[in-house]
Amino acid sequence: MADVNRVGTGTASRQRRRRSEAGTKMTPVPFTDLAAMAGEVWPSVERDYLACLLGAAYIGGPAVTSFEEEWAAYCGADYAVGVANGTDALELTLTALGIGRGDEVVVPANTFIATAAAVVRAGADPRFADVSDDTLLITPGTLTEAITPRTRAVIVVHLFGQVPDMAGILDVAAKMGICVIEDAAQAHGAEWDGRRAGSFGDAACFSFYPAKNLGAFGDGGAVVTSQADLADRVRTLANHGRSHGASHYEHTYVGTNSRLDTLQAVLLSGKLAFLDAWTQRRIVLAARYREVLSGTGLRHTGVASQARHAYHLFVVRVAGRDAVRVELARRGIESGVHYPVPCHWQPPLRRFADRPLPATEQAAGELLSLPMFPHLTDCQVDFVGEALSDILQGMTVDPEFIDVQ
Ligand SMILES: Cc1ncc(COP(=O)(O)O)c(C=O)c1O
């Protein structure tokens, strides 16, 4: 095991310490920079945003419709329904598919809790699947293992921005007669075999939470699908159960209030014009991280040749993770952990944990997310990469325990 107390004793560390002693100011590296993205987009949306704000156009209207059309087209699907957040997108999709009490939905356990919580809130039971130790994504094999006679659907999570082997997963789902829902909250613009996230499943659920690759000035989400009746049911459920064309006080179902605000739609339309360039920049930054970290013995893992990774997060795996984070923070570098506790170990979901999930459980103690956002500079990546290399040198970590993804 690594000696986690021996950190930061390498040559680079000594050099930096000398620089800092000589009075060089250390610039902090944030985990993300939402203000930089807002600043870049604002000039192109200012006029429409203010017109909407001052014209009191707050709910629905042409701005929402036009963002929905743009987003569906971008994803390669026929319909998008704007909703209040990604969690609602998942719950509404399950309900609209008729999935509820007595049903089981396969979900990976290494995801944000919203994926599994949506299943419980829809009235069904999550059935946790393990993931590939290499990509940390669900595979056709781990999906097959998890399916039982009660399984009605799988929620495939495009974790960190990578779409898993969708050809294999769709094949298993078709054979077993279950629905496929993509949790694409982290995967705007990601691709598998040239097809975009959002175009594979019966439906795909997106989050526009501010820190996402396409983020709003608050919460937002969308359900994307090419099934007209499914899109219609989601829209009805999200709008107090009002069917298409019904008057304000006519309700077909007991629904809820989960709509994408008009102001958010205006901003998201503006940001969409930047998404491809921002994703490309994330890809370049990820390649640079790998290069800077390549001398450390870190093992690169898990980007399939068919995948275009959108790098919502850049995640490395390292033993002694918590000590490494402390040392990074001491050098002014923010980091994150996605996710320290897998869903099947979360207290409200433990009752659904029926077997060990070795790859998921092993990863949970090692995952470390490094700063990743389009406005991160090359110098900042070099600084983070060199700091990490330096810290690891001091830790004498067995390279077998370290993984870069
Ligand atoms: C994988 C995943 N699923 C679902 C969600 C939920 O999205 P929201 O925060 O918009 O409800 C998130 C957001 O963090 C997520 O990362």
Side-chain angles (χ1 to χ4, degrees), residues 85-87 90 111-112 114-115 157 183 185-186 207 209 212 220 339:
N85 53 65
T87 309
L90 289 161
T111 177
F112 183 53
T115 317
V157 180
D183 181 340
Q186 302 184 359
S207 164
Y209 176 76
K212 299 303 188 207
Y339 296 91

Side-chain angles (χ1 to χ4, degrees), residues 2-358:
D3 176 356
V4 292
N5 296 315
R6 288 185 53 228
V7 290
T9 57
T11 314
S13 173
R14 278 196 298 277
Q15 280 167 356
R16 249 191 307 282
R17 221 170 284 135
R18 273 202 294 275
R19 276 206 298 275
S20 127
E21 278 156 17
T24 311
K25 205 163 178 263
M26 188 177 67
T27 315
V29 184
F31 187 65
T32 189
D33 186 352
L34 305 186
M37 280 183 266
E40 193 177 346
V41 169
W42 183 246
S44 62
V45 297
E46 182 175 8
R47 212 189 55 185
D48 290 349
Y49 196 89
L50 290 178
C52 205
L53 185 68
L54 302 174
Y58 301 137
I59 306 280
V64 175
T65 307
S66 99
F67 172 67
E68 288 175 340
E69 286 169 4
E70 289 159 17
W71 186 238
Y74 182 86
C75 295
D78 291 342
Y79 309 97
V81 181
V83 297
N85 53 65
T87 309
D88 282 2
L90 289 161
E91 185 183 333
L92 287 161
T93 298
L94 289 161
T95 305
L97 285 167
I99 293 169
R101 195 178 299 246
D103 297 330
E104 234 172 41
V105 178
V106 174
V107 294
N110 67 328
T111 177
F112 183 53
I113 194 167
T115 317
V119 175
V120 178
R121 290 184 56 79
D125 296 341
R127 167 108 174 124
F128 290 112
D130 208 357
V131 290
S132 151
D133 182 49
D134 182 36
T135 62
L136 300 175
L137 303 173
I138 196 166
T139 70
T142 61
L143 168 60
T144 305
E145 269 164 33
I147 291 173
T148 76
R150 286 207 289 132
T151 305
R152 293 275 320 277
V154 55
I155 302 183
V156 177
V157 180
H158 303 333
L159 195 71
F160 306 148
Q162 186 177 192
V163 180
D165 171 5
M166 288 311 294
I169 287 166
L170 289 172
D171 204 37
V172 172
K175 282 195 187 111
M176 303 307 287
I178 64 172
C179 299
V180 175
I181 300 165
E182 296 171 68
D183 181 340
Q186 302 184 359
H188 314 76
E191 293 175 12
W192 173 265
D193 226 359
R195 266 176 74 182
R196 286 226 170 102
S199 65
F200 295 98
D202 292 273
C205 302
F206 286 90
S207 164
F208 303 123
Y209 176 76
K212 299 303 188 207
N213 288 23
L214 184 67
F217 284 171
D219 281 310
V223 176
V224 168
T225 178
S226 289
Q227 299 173 21
D229 54 339
L230 184 57
D232 208 47
R233 276 200 301 281
V234 170
R235 194 179 292 286
T236 300
L237 287 168
N239 189 22
H240 295 293
R242 292 182 190 111
S243 294
H244 181 66
S247 75
H248 202 68
Y249 297 111
E250 273 180 89
H251 310 273
T252 316
Y253 305 106
V254 172
T256 186
N257 176 1
S258 182
R259 297 173 298 225
L260 181 68
D261 290 340
T262 313
L263 283 168
Q264 305 299 2
V266 171
L267 174 73
L268 290 166
S269 281
K271 271 198 171 178
L272 187 48
F274 292 82
L275 182 61
D276 281 337
W278 285 349
T279 305
Q280 194 48 43
R281 177 68 187 152
R282 288 173 186 270
I283 291 169
V284 168
L285 291 167
R288 193 171 184 99
Y289 264 130
R290 287 210 182 81
E291 203 184 307
V292 181
L293 292 168
S294 65
T296 60
L298 293 175
R299 183 161 55 95
H300 289 253
T301 61
V303 183
S305 58
Q306 298 96 322
R308 181 185 192 242
H309 201 310
Y311 289 105
H312 172 57
L313 295 169
F314 185 83
V315 179
V316 299
R317 291 175 64 167
V318 59
R321 184 257 324 278
D322 295 337
V324 171
R325 289 195 75 202
V326 169
E327 187 57 22
L328 285 170
R330 204 181 65 72
R331 296 167 191 228
I333 298 165
E334 288 181 358
S335 62
V337 177
H338 302 86
Y339 296 91
V341 182
C343 287
H344 66 304
W345 286 353
Q346 295 285 355
L349 298 174
R350 255 187 225 143
R351 67 195 159 103
F352 302 107
D354 55 356
R355 68 217 155 99
L357 303 172

